[in-house]
Amino acid sequence: MHPASPRSRSIPRLAYGLAVLFFLSNIVYAAWYLSQDYTTLRDAYLATGPFYRDAFWTTDFFTPSTKAAGDRFAAVAILLAVAVLVYLGYCWRHAEQRAAPAIRVPVKRDDILPLLCLATVQLGLWVYGNQLLPPAYDEVFSAMHAAAPGPLRALTYYMLPNNHVLFNVLNGTLFGWADDLVFTGRLISLLAYLLLGVLQYVWLRSLLSDRLAALALTLFLAVLLPVWGFAVQARGYALLLLFSWGAFLAVWQYVSGRGRGMRWVFAGCCVLAYATVPVFLYLHLALLIWIVRDWIRRRRIDWQLIATQLVAGVAVLLVYLPAITYSGLGAMVDNRYVAAGEEGGVAFARMFLPTLPHYVNYLALDIGSVLPYLLPLLALLPLLLVFAQRVLLRRLAIIYLIVLCSTIGTVLVMRAVPFHRTLVFQLQFVGLLIACIPLAAWEWTVGSKLPRRWLRLVAVGWLLLAGALIWLTPAKFSLHLYYYDIVPTYQSMTTLLDQLPTDAKVAGSDEAFYPLYFIQSDGEVLPSAATYYVKRPTEPLPEGRWELVGQDREFEVYRRE
């Protein structure tokens, strides 16, 4: 058998080399961790300097039991990583396993102008949104406590779900030199936003066979509240949406018969999505159900896809191995934001299921406050496409049903209510299918093949709707992105801080990170050297005599007497 050309390898050379390097580096890390004792690791970590809630780190996170469990995880990780390397070597050596080409983005010369128009509009939307929204709590927390200390802290300290690991590692590694990691984080989200537009445009162009219609629909999807809103936030949700769409499109291609190259693309996107925000689990399960459905239809099982998914599972474990070994598994699965509720399954279902329309309300600009009965209709409207004549539209409706049932089922099993923003893919998918209903409406009413003039007319409707959303959505950003009012919170805090002298030395408590972000531009000030101290009302003051000189709803400012 003749060796395959480099272009025909199922894992391109660069991706293969990076994968091998990733697994080898984790073997080295796990072996090093096993060789160290608890005291040595604890002292070395604390010596890296003060960090968020460091007084509780050795009691709530890195304890002797964490080290013992970390040793077990490290040993298992070594065995699994070695097994994956053996499998990767097998794939590389056997021509049958490397016959499929790498993924190609079919961008043609005629696509350049639409893509430039799309990118220009997206950039303008980002600039406008960036001007409207001051830094939010979650952005500042990630920037100060996960990205700024560097990739080591982001990888090992899972203090809250706010640590979107891959996002913070990228921000801290690429921009650790910068003064404003909130702004650089927003740049990362912008890049994800632009790449997402390219992916969606290329896919929609192949579905619609019309560049202008694909451009119009992509613009509509780009201005939906959670999509546009988190494109201008220094958080991992734009990256999560990008990788989620990458996984979805890989499965779309796989189910369409272009499987071999897509197996690895799907696996890689899964790893990147989990590394960004673990809530990718909701969509991942739906995609696996979709694949199994295709296997049942074809009456075959793709063992190679199962193998690549197992490789992806090992990679995800290794991504979070530093956090597990230093923060403990409980930091990720038992924190108050993701832990299962105390109520039973039936009681949780009765509490959660009536709230489902509110997720659509998040997408639909709070229309539920005016027309509450419209929300269930909007959620179920995409299912009308099950009756479409076009096979592609019916497939989209079936996928939506799978995603909907999988997401609800996973929430009910976990008994943990997801934040609205964590379902950004699901919400954008709802918008996509609702926008496609006019395409099916022609076939329902006229009964003939969809003419190009009707498609162009629908595209004009998509553009008008996108324009309306550009006009209306910014007014909802401040309150609805996180469901606390960003702008008034920022204004109240800056009014409070304006009372301080410009040359004041200000220190603060762990939970006063938000005001400290704006006033400690020259570096951290220790309480012992500070003339002013900022804290939340529930936190204690440092030693010394302090006088309260200002407060708002969130923070108090004290001056040393």
Short mmCIF file of all heavy atoms in Angstrom, two decimals, residues 84-137:
data_model
loop_
_atom_site.label_atom_id
_atom_site.label_comp_id
_atom_site.label_asym_id
_atom_site.label_seq_id
_atom_site.Cartn_x
_atom_site.Cartn_y
_atom_site.Cartn_z
N VAL A 84 -4.29 6.99 24.19
CA VAL A 84 -4.65 7.87 23.08
C VAL A 84 -3.48 8.04 22.13
O VAL A 84 -3.64 8.03 20.90
CB VAL A 84 -5.14 9.23 23.62
CG1 VAL A 84 -5.23 10.25 22.48
CG2 VAL A 84 -6.50 9.08 24.28
N LEU A 85 -2.28 8.21 22.66
CA LEU A 85 -1.11 8.36 21.81
C LEU A 85 -0.90 7.12 20.95
O LEU A 85 -0.52 7.22 19.77
CB LEU A 85 0.12 8.65 22.66
CG LEU A 85 0.20 10.05 23.27
CD1 LEU A 85 1.39 10.16 24.22
CD2 LEU A 85 0.30 11.11 22.18
N VAL A 86 -1.13 5.94 21.52
CA VAL A 86 -1.02 4.70 20.74
C VAL A 86 -2.04 4.71 19.61
O VAL A 86 -1.73 4.36 18.46
CB VAL A 86 -1.21 3.48 21.66
CG1 VAL A 86 -1.32 2.20 20.83
CG2 VAL A 86 -0.07 3.37 22.65
N TYR A 87 -3.27 5.13 19.93
CA TYR A 87 -4.32 5.17 18.90
C TYR A 87 -3.98 6.20 17.82
O TYR A 87 -4.17 5.95 16.62
CB TYR A 87 -5.67 5.50 19.54
CG TYR A 87 -6.78 5.64 18.53
CD1 TYR A 87 -7.29 4.53 17.88
CD2 TYR A 87 -7.30 6.90 18.22
CE1 TYR A 87 -8.30 4.66 16.93
CE2 TYR A 87 -8.31 7.03 17.28
CZ TYR A 87 -8.81 5.91 16.64
OH TYR A 87 -9.80 6.04 15.70
N LEU A 88 -3.49 7.36 18.21
CA LEU A 88 -3.12 8.37 17.23
C LEU A 88 -1.99 7.87 16.33
O LEU A 88 -1.99 8.13 15.12
CB LEU A 88 -2.69 9.66 17.93
CG LEU A 88 -3.79 10.44 18.66
CD1 LEU A 88 -3.21 11.67 19.34
CD2 LEU A 88 -4.91 10.85 17.71
N GLY A 89 -1.05 7.16 16.91
CA GLY A 89 0.00 6.57 16.10
C GLY A 89 -0.54 5.55 15.11
O GLY A 89 -0.11 5.50 13.95
N TYR A 90 -1.52 4.77 15.56
CA TYR A 90 -2.16 3.80 14.66
C TYR A 90 -2.86 4.52 13.51
O TYR A 90 -2.75 4.10 12.35
CB TYR A 90 -3.17 2.98 15.47
CG TYR A 90 -4.04 2.07 14.63
CD1 TYR A 90 -3.58 0.81 14.25
CD2 TYR A 90 -5.31 2.47 14.24
CE1 TYR A 90 -4.37 -0.02 13.47
CE2 TYR A 90 -6.11 1.65 13.46
CZ TYR A 90 -5.64 0.41 13.08
OH TYR A 90 -6.43 -0.41 12.32
N CYS A 91 -3.56 5.60 13.83
CA CYS A 91 -4.25 6.37 12.78
C CYS A 91 -3.26 6.94 11.78
O CYS A 91 -3.53 6.98 10.57
CB CYS A 91 -5.07 7.50 13.41
SG CYS A 91 -6.49 6.95 14.36
N TRP A 92 -2.13 7.37 12.27
CA TRP A 92 -1.16 8.01 11.40
C TRP A 92 -0.48 7.00 10.47
O TRP A 92 -0.12 7.33 9.33
CB TRP A 92 -0.12 8.72 12.25
CG TRP A 92 0.79 9.63 11.47
CD1 TRP A 92 2.10 9.44 11.16
CD2 TRP A 92 0.42 10.88 10.89
NE1 TRP A 92 2.58 10.49 10.44
CE2 TRP A 92 1.56 11.40 10.26
CE3 TRP A 92 -0.77 11.60 10.84
CZ2 TRP A 92 1.56 12.60 9.58
CZ3 TRP A 92 -0.77 12.82 10.17
CH2 TRP A 92 0.38 13.30 9.55
N ARG A 93 -0.32 5.78 10.95
CA ARG A 93 0.41 4.77 10.17
C ARG A 93 -0.46 4.09 9.11
O ARG A 93 0.06 3.63 8.09
CB ARG A 93 0.99 3.70 11.08
CG ARG A 93 2.14 4.17 11.95
CD ARG A 93 2.86 2.99 12.58
NE ARG A 93 1.93 2.16 13.35
CZ ARG A 93 1.65 2.35 14.63
NH1 ARG A 93 2.25 3.34 15.28
NH2 ARG A 93 0.82 1.56 15.27
N HIS A 94 -1.75 4.00 9.34
CA HIS A 94 -2.60 3.23 8.46
C HIS A 94 -3.29 4.12 7.45
O HIS A 94 -4.01 5.07 7.80
CB HIS A 94 -3.63 2.43 9.26
CG HIS A 94 -3.02 1.30 10.02
ND1 HIS A 94 -2.25 1.50 11.14
CD2 HIS A 94 -3.07 -0.05 9.80
CE1 HIS A 94 -1.84 0.33 11.60
NE2 HIS A 94 -2.32 -0.62 10.81
N ALA A 95 -3.11 3.80 6.19
CA ALA A 95 -3.64 4.65 5.12
C ALA A 95 -5.16 4.72 5.17
O ALA A 95 -5.75 5.76 4.85
CB ALA A 95 -3.20 4.11 3.77
N GLU A 96 -5.82 3.67 5.59
CA GLU A 96 -7.28 3.68 5.62
C GLU A 96 -7.80 4.75 6.57
O GLU A 96 -8.86 5.31 6.37
CB GLU A 96 -7.78 2.31 6.05
CG GLU A 96 -9.31 2.22 6.09
CD GLU A 96 -9.77 0.86 6.57
OE1 GLU A 96 -8.91 -0.02 6.74
OE2 GLU A 96 -10.99 0.68 6.75
N GLN A 97 -7.03 5.02 7.62
CA GLN A 97 -7.46 5.96 8.64
C GLN A 97 -7.15 7.41 8.27
O GLN A 97 -7.58 8.33 8.95
CB GLN A 97 -6.78 5.65 9.97
CG GLN A 97 -7.18 4.30 10.56
CD GLN A 97 -8.56 4.39 11.14
OE1 GLN A 97 -9.55 4.34 10.41
NE2 GLN A 97 -8.67 4.54 12.43
N ARG A 98 -6.34 7.61 7.23
CA ARG A 98 -5.97 8.98 6.90
C ARG A 98 -6.33 9.35 5.46
O ARG A 98 -5.72 10.19 4.84
CB ARG A 98 -4.49 9.20 7.15
CG ARG A 98 -3.54 8.33 6.33
CD ARG A 98 -2.09 8.72 6.66
NE ARG A 98 -1.15 8.14 5.74
CZ ARG A 98 -0.54 6.98 5.93
NH1 ARG A 98 -0.77 6.27 7.02
NH2 ARG A 98 0.30 6.50 5.04
N ALA A 99 -7.37 8.70 4.94
CA ALA A 99 -7.73 8.94 3.55
C ALA A 99 -8.55 10.21 3.36
O ALA A 99 -8.58 10.76 2.28
CB ALA A 99 -8.52 7.75 3.02
N ALA A 100 -9.24 10.66 4.40
CA ALA A 100 -10.11 11.82 4.23
C ALA A 100 -9.32 13.11 4.37
O ALA A 100 -8.44 13.21 5.21
CB ALA A 100 -11.22 11.79 5.26
N PRO A 101 -9.62 14.10 3.56
CA PRO A 101 -8.90 15.38 3.67
C PRO A 101 -9.35 16.18 4.88
O PRO A 101 -10.38 15.89 5.48
CB PRO A 101 -9.30 16.10 2.36
CG PRO A 101 -10.64 15.54 2.03
CD PRO A 101 -10.61 14.10 2.49
N ALA A 102 -8.57 17.17 5.20
CA ALA A 102 -8.95 18.06 6.29
C ALA A 102 -10.16 18.88 5.88
O ALA A 102 -10.50 19.00 4.71
CB ALA A 102 -7.78 18.98 6.65
N ILE A 103 -10.80 19.47 6.87
CA ILE A 103 -11.97 20.30 6.59
C ILE A 103 -11.57 21.48 5.71
O ILE A 103 -10.49 22.06 5.85
CB ILE A 103 -12.62 20.80 7.89
CG1 ILE A 103 -13.92 21.52 7.58
CG2 ILE A 103 -11.68 21.68 8.69
CD1 ILE A 103 -14.71 21.89 8.80
N ARG A 104 -12.43 21.81 4.78
CA ARG A 104 -12.19 22.95 3.91
C ARG A 104 -13.37 23.90 4.01
O ARG A 104 -14.52 23.46 3.96
CB ARG A 104 -12.03 22.50 2.46
CG ARG A 104 -10.84 21.58 2.22
CD ARG A 104 -10.86 21.05 0.80
NE ARG A 104 -9.77 20.10 0.58
CZ ARG A 104 -9.64 19.40 -0.56
NH1 ARG A 104 -10.53 19.55 -1.52
NH2 ARG A 104 -8.64 18.56 -0.70
N VAL A 105 -13.11 25.17 4.12
CA VAL A 105 -14.18 26.17 4.10
C VAL A 105 -14.35 26.62 2.66
O VAL A 105 -13.46 27.26 2.10
CB VAL A 105 -13.84 27.37 5.01
CG1 VAL A 105 -14.95 28.40 4.95
CG2 VAL A 105 -13.62 26.90 6.44
N PRO A 106 -15.46 26.24 2.02
CA PRO A 106 -15.62 26.50 0.58
C PRO A 106 -15.94 27.95 0.28
O PRO A 106 -17.04 28.28 -0.18
CB PRO A 106 -16.76 25.56 0.19
CG PRO A 106 -17.58 25.45 1.43
CD PRO A 106 -16.60 25.52 2.59
N VAL A 107 -15.00 28.82 0.53
CA VAL A 107 -15.18 30.24 0.22
C VAL A 107 -14.68 30.49 -1.20
O VAL A 107 -13.52 30.22 -1.51
CB VAL A 107 -14.43 31.13 1.22
CG1 VAL A 107 -14.55 32.59 0.82
CG2 VAL A 107 -14.95 30.90 2.63
N LYS A 108 -15.57 30.99 -2.02
CA LYS A 108 -15.22 31.25 -3.41
C LYS A 108 -15.00 32.75 -3.62
O LYS A 108 -15.27 33.56 -2.74
CB LYS A 108 -16.34 30.73 -4.32
CG LYS A 108 -16.60 29.23 -4.15
CD LYS A 108 -17.77 28.78 -5.00
CE LYS A 108 -18.05 27.29 -4.78
NZ LYS A 108 -19.21 26.81 -5.57
N ARG A 109 -14.52 33.08 -4.81
CA ARG A 109 -14.22 34.48 -5.09
C ARG A 109 -15.46 35.35 -4.96
O ARG A 109 -15.41 36.48 -4.47
CB ARG A 109 -13.64 34.61 -6.49
CG ARG A 109 -13.27 36.03 -6.87
CD ARG A 109 -12.61 36.07 -8.23
NE ARG A 109 -11.35 35.31 -8.23
CZ ARG A 109 -10.59 35.15 -9.32
NH1 ARG A 109 -10.97 35.68 -10.47
NH2 ARG A 109 -9.47 34.45 -9.25
N ASP A 110 -16.62 34.82 -5.38
CA ASP A 110 -17.86 35.60 -5.31
C ASP A 110 -18.36 35.79 -3.88
O ASP A 110 -19.29 36.57 -3.65
CB ASP A 110 -18.95 34.92 -6.14
CG ASP A 110 -18.66 34.97 -7.63
OD1 ASP A 110 -17.86 35.83 -8.04
OD2 ASP A 110 -19.22 34.14 -8.38
N ASP A 111 -17.76 35.06 -2.95
CA ASP A 111 -18.16 35.20 -1.55
C ASP A 111 -17.41 36.32 -0.84
O ASP A 111 -17.78 36.71 0.28
CB ASP A 111 -17.90 33.90 -0.77
CG ASP A 111 -18.79 32.77 -1.24
OD1 ASP A 111 -19.99 33.03 -1.48
OD2 ASP A 111 -18.30 31.64 -1.39
N ILE A 112 -16.35 36.82 -1.43
CA ILE A 112 -15.50 37.79 -0.74
C ILE A 112 -16.26 39.07 -0.41
O ILE A 112 -16.20 39.57 0.72
CB ILE A 112 -14.24 38.10 -1.59
CG1 ILE A 112 -13.37 36.84 -1.70
CG2 ILE A 112 -13.45 39.25 -0.96
CD1 ILE A 112 -12.14 37.02 -2.58
N LEU A 113 -17.01 39.59 -1.39
CA LEU A 113 -17.74 40.84 -1.14
C LEU A 113 -18.82 40.67 -0.07
O LEU A 113 -18.89 41.50 0.86
CB LEU A 113 -18.36 41.36 -2.44
CG LEU A 113 -19.13 42.69 -2.33
CD1 LEU A 113 -18.22 43.79 -1.80
CD2 LEU A 113 -19.72 43.08 -3.69
N PRO A 114 -19.68 39.62 -0.12
CA PRO A 114 -20.64 39.45 0.98
C PRO A 114 -19.98 39.28 2.33
O PRO A 114 -20.46 39.82 3.34
CB PRO A 114 -21.41 38.19 0.57
CG PRO A 114 -21.27 38.10 -0.90
CD PRO A 114 -19.92 38.66 -1.21
N LEU A 115 -18.86 38.56 2.37
CA LEU A 115 -18.18 38.36 3.66
C LEU A 115 -17.58 39.66 4.17
O LEU A 115 -17.57 39.91 5.38
CB LEU A 115 -17.10 37.28 3.53
CG LEU A 115 -17.62 35.84 3.43
CD1 LEU A 115 -16.47 34.87 3.15
CD2 LEU A 115 -18.33 35.44 4.73
N LEU A 116 -17.06 40.49 3.27
CA LEU A 116 -16.54 41.79 3.69
C LEU A 116 -17.67 42.67 4.22
O LEU A 116 -17.50 43.37 5.23
CB LEU A 116 -15.83 42.48 2.52
CG LEU A 116 -14.46 41.94 2.14
CD1 LEU A 116 -13.93 42.65 0.90
CD2 LEU A 116 -13.47 42.10 3.29
N CYS A 117 -18.82 42.65 3.56
CA CYS A 117 -19.98 43.41 4.06
C CYS A 117 -20.40 42.91 5.43
O CYS A 117 -20.68 43.71 6.34
CB CYS A 117 -21.13 43.30 3.07
SG CYS A 117 -20.85 44.09 1.48
N LEU A 118 -20.44 41.59 5.58
CA LEU A 118 -20.83 41.00 6.85
C LEU A 118 -19.86 41.40 7.95
O LEU A 118 -20.27 41.83 9.05
CB LEU A 118 -20.88 39.48 6.72
CG LEU A 118 -21.15 38.68 7.99
CD1 LEU A 118 -22.53 39.02 8.56
CD2 LEU A 118 -21.03 37.18 7.71
N ALA A 119 -18.55 41.29 7.68
CA ALA A 119 -17.55 41.62 8.69
C ALA A 119 -17.60 43.11 9.05
O ALA A 119 -17.41 43.48 10.22
CB ALA A 119 -16.15 41.25 8.19
N THR A 120 -17.86 43.96 8.07
CA THR A 120 -17.95 45.40 8.33
C THR A 120 -19.11 45.71 9.26
O THR A 120 -18.98 46.48 10.22
CB THR A 120 -18.11 46.17 7.01
OG1 THR A 120 -16.99 45.89 6.16
CG2 THR A 120 -18.19 47.66 7.27
N VAL A 121 -20.26 45.09 8.99
CA VAL A 121 -21.42 45.31 9.86
C VAL A 121 -21.15 44.77 11.25
O VAL A 121 -21.45 45.42 12.27
CB VAL A 121 -22.68 44.67 9.25
CG1 VAL A 121 -23.85 44.77 10.23
CG2 VAL A 121 -23.03 45.33 7.93
N GLN A 122 -20.57 43.58 11.33
CA GLN A 122 -20.28 42.99 12.64
C GLN A 122 -19.30 43.86 13.43
O GLN A 122 -19.47 44.06 14.64
CB GLN A 122 -19.68 41.59 12.47
CG GLN A 122 -20.69 40.54 12.04
CD GLN A 122 -20.02 39.19 11.87
OE1 GLN A 122 -19.14 39.00 11.03
NE2 GLN A 122 -20.43 38.23 12.68
N LEU A 123 -18.29 44.37 12.76
CA LEU A 123 -17.33 45.24 13.44
C LEU A 123 -18.02 46.51 13.94
O LEU A 123 -17.78 46.96 15.07
CB LEU A 123 -16.19 45.60 12.50
CG LEU A 123 -15.08 46.49 13.07
CD1 LEU A 123 -14.42 45.82 14.27
CD2 LEU A 123 -14.04 46.81 12.00
N GLY A 124 -18.91 47.07 13.12
CA GLY A 124 -19.65 48.25 13.56
C GLY A 124 -20.55 47.95 14.75
O GLY A 124 -20.65 48.74 15.69
N LEU A 125 -21.20 46.79 14.72
CA LEU A 125 -22.04 46.39 15.86
C LEU A 125 -21.20 46.23 17.12
O LEU A 125 -21.63 46.60 18.22
CB LEU A 125 -22.74 45.06 15.53
CG LEU A 125 -23.80 45.11 14.42
CD1 LEU A 125 -24.27 43.70 14.09
CD2 LEU A 125 -24.99 45.98 14.83
N TRP A 126 -20.00 45.66 16.97
CA TRP A 126 -19.13 45.46 18.13
C TRP A 126 -18.69 46.80 18.70
O TRP A 126 -18.70 46.99 19.92
CB TRP A 126 -17.92 44.62 17.72
CG TRP A 126 -17.00 44.31 18.86
CD1 TRP A 126 -17.10 43.28 19.75
CD2 TRP A 126 -15.85 45.06 19.25
NE1 TRP A 126 -16.08 43.32 20.66
CE2 TRP A 126 -15.30 44.41 20.38
CE3 TRP A 126 -15.22 46.20 18.76
CZ2 TRP A 126 -14.15 44.87 21.02
CZ3 TRP A 126 -14.08 46.66 19.39
CH2 TRP A 126 -13.55 46.00 20.50
N VAL A 127 -18.29 47.72 17.84
CA VAL A 127 -17.85 49.04 18.31
C VAL A 127 -18.99 49.75 19.03
O VAL A 127 -18.81 50.32 20.11
CB VAL A 127 -17.33 49.88 17.13
CG1 VAL A 127 -17.08 51.32 17.58
CG2 VAL A 127 -16.05 49.28 16.56
N TYR A 128 -20.18 49.69 18.45
CA TYR A 128 -21.35 50.34 19.05
C TYR A 128 -21.68 49.71 20.40
O TYR A 128 -21.88 50.42 21.40
CB TYR A 128 -22.52 50.24 18.10
CG TYR A 128 -23.79 50.88 18.59
CD1 TYR A 128 -23.79 52.16 19.15
CD2 TYR A 128 -25.01 50.23 18.48
CE1 TYR A 128 -24.96 52.76 19.59
CE2 TYR A 128 -26.19 50.82 18.91
CZ TYR A 128 -26.16 52.08 19.47
OH TYR A 128 -27.31 52.66 19.91
N GLY A 129 -21.72 48.39 20.45
CA GLY A 129 -22.01 47.71 21.71
C GLY A 129 -20.94 47.95 22.75
O GLY A 129 -21.23 48.09 23.95
N ASN A 130 -19.69 48.02 22.31
CA ASN A 130 -18.59 48.27 23.24
C ASN A 130 -18.71 49.65 23.88
O ASN A 130 -18.34 49.85 25.05
CB ASN A 130 -17.26 48.13 22.49
CG ASN A 130 -16.08 48.01 23.41
OD1 ASN A 130 -16.02 47.12 24.26
ND2 ASN A 130 -15.12 48.90 23.26
N GLN A 131 -19.21 50.62 23.13
CA GLN A 131 -19.41 51.96 23.68
C GLN A 131 -20.59 52.01 24.64
O GLN A 131 -20.59 52.78 25.60
CB GLN A 131 -19.62 52.96 22.54
CG GLN A 131 -18.39 53.17 21.67
CD GLN A 131 -18.69 54.04 20.47
OE1 GLN A 131 -19.84 54.24 20.09
NE2 GLN A 131 -17.63 54.55 19.84
N LEU A 132 -21.59 51.19 24.39
CA LEU A 132 -22.79 51.21 25.23
C LEU A 132 -22.58 50.55 26.59
O LEU A 132 -23.15 50.98 27.59
CB LEU A 132 -23.95 50.50 24.51
CG LEU A 132 -24.56 51.19 23.30
CD1 LEU A 132 -25.61 50.29 22.67
CD2 LEU A 132 -25.19 52.53 23.70
N LEU A 133 -21.77 49.50 26.61
CA LEU A 133 -21.68 48.67 27.80
C LEU A 133 -20.37 48.90 28.55
O LEU A 133 -19.29 48.57 28.04
CB LEU A 133 -21.79 47.19 27.42
CG LEU A 133 -23.20 46.71 27.05
CD1 LEU A 133 -23.14 45.29 26.50
CD2 LEU A 133 -24.12 46.78 28.26
N PRO A 134 -20.42 49.43 29.76
CA PRO A 134 -19.22 49.47 30.59
C PRO A 134 -18.88 48.06 31.05
O PRO A 134 -19.69 47.14 30.90
CB PRO A 134 -19.65 50.36 31.76
CG PRO A 134 -21.12 50.16 31.86
CD PRO A 134 -21.61 49.98 30.46
N PRO A 135 -17.71 47.85 31.61
CA PRO A 135 -17.36 46.51 32.09
C PRO A 135 -18.38 45.98 33.09
O PRO A 135 -18.81 46.69 34.00
CB PRO A 135 -15.99 46.73 32.74
CG PRO A 135 -15.42 47.90 32.03
CD PRO A 135 -16.59 48.80 31.74
N ALA A 136 -18.76 44.74 32.91
CA ALA A 136 -19.71 44.09 33.80
C ALA A 136 -18.96 43.32 34.89
O ALA A 136 -17.77 43.04 34.77
CB ALA A 136 -20.61 43.14 33.01
N TYR A 137 -19.68 42.96 35.95
CA TYR A 137 -19.07 42.23 37.07
C TYR A 137 -18.30 41.01 36.58
O TYR A 137 -17.15 40.79 36.96
CB TYR A 137 -20.17 41.76 38.03
CG TYR A 137 -20.50 42.72 39.14
CD1 TYR A 137 -20.44 44.09 38.96
CD2 TYR A 137 -20.88 42.24 40.40
CE1 TYR A 137 -20.75 44.96 39.98
CE2 TYR A 137 -21.20 43.11 41.42
CZ TYR A 137 -21.14 44.47 41.21
OH TYR A 137 -21.45 45.32 42.23
#
